[in-house]
Amino acid sequence: MRPLLNIISLEQFTLLKESENASPISCPWLTDCINQVKFWICQDHTTSKENLHDKAKNYTLNYFANHPELPGNRDGLAKEVADEVEREFQDKCFDQRPPAGVVARHVRERIPEEPESKYIKLSP
């Protein structure tokens, strides 16, 4: 006997069948997908604000490809997940430079532009 692959809980079934306009973001498998996509984005060192939405959508489609038993409109769900991830990461800094370099640049910007005040004078 073959195992059942498309088993969903009663909560997921009612959420999917209740209305077409309801957001399925509260499904446990979709929450797992969002968490996995956020993990992959944080691990990716090439992510920036400009390509965040595209990377989130591609990572979501990759998650769906690894889990063929998941129901639903995959492209529509991938766009929803990408929007959700983009909303959560809107304030995250994706600066790929080392933190020490970033701190040093901020400190250098605070030094006045006057040449005599720009450098620390050492007394003999």
Side-chain angles (χ1 to χ4, degrees):
M1 193 166 179
R2 290 181 25 188
L4 296 174
L5 297 177
N6 292 328
I7 297 176
I8 60 174
S9 68
L10 183 61
E11 174 189 340
Q12 293 173 0
F13 179 76
T14 55
L15 183 65
L16 291 173
K17 293 296 179 186
E18 234 173 39
S19 73
E20 297 292 323
N21 298 333
S23 175
I25 295 295
S26 64
C27 293
W29 57 267
L30 203 51
T31 304
D32 180 51
C33 173
I34 291 171
N35 291 334
Q36 184 66 39
V37 168
K38 290 192 300 190
F39 176 74
W40 284 334
I41 286 177
C42 289
Q43 293 294 319
D44 186 1
H45 294 291
T46 61
T47 305
S48 66
K49 291 274 187 193
E50 291 79 29
N51 65 1
L52 175 63
H53 192 270
D54 294 332
K55 283 191 178 268
K57 186 174 179 181
N58 290 337
Y59 283 139
T60 304
L61 291 172
N62 188 23
Y63 181 87
F64 289 156
N66 290 330
H67 297 84
E69 70 275 1
L70 297 178
N73 177 11
R74 291 173 185 250
D75 289 331
L77 285 175
K79 186 177 179 329
E80 274 189 53
V81 169
D83 291 340
E84 178 72 22
V85 169
E86 191 174 31
R87 224 179 349 265
E88 289 187 27
F89 282 156
Q90 68 185 0
D91 295 330
K92 184 178 182 339
C93 178
F94 288 104
D95 196 359
Q96 302 301 327
R97 295 175 291 177
V102 174
V103 170
R105 184 176 53 88
H106 286 300
V107 170
R108 280 194 300 271
E109 288 174 355
R110 284 187 279 178
I111 296 175
E113 289 297 321
E114 302 164 357
E116 54 273 351
S117 302
K118 192 169 187 176
Y119 300 101
I120 300 172
K121 297 178 185 176
L122 299 174
S123 59

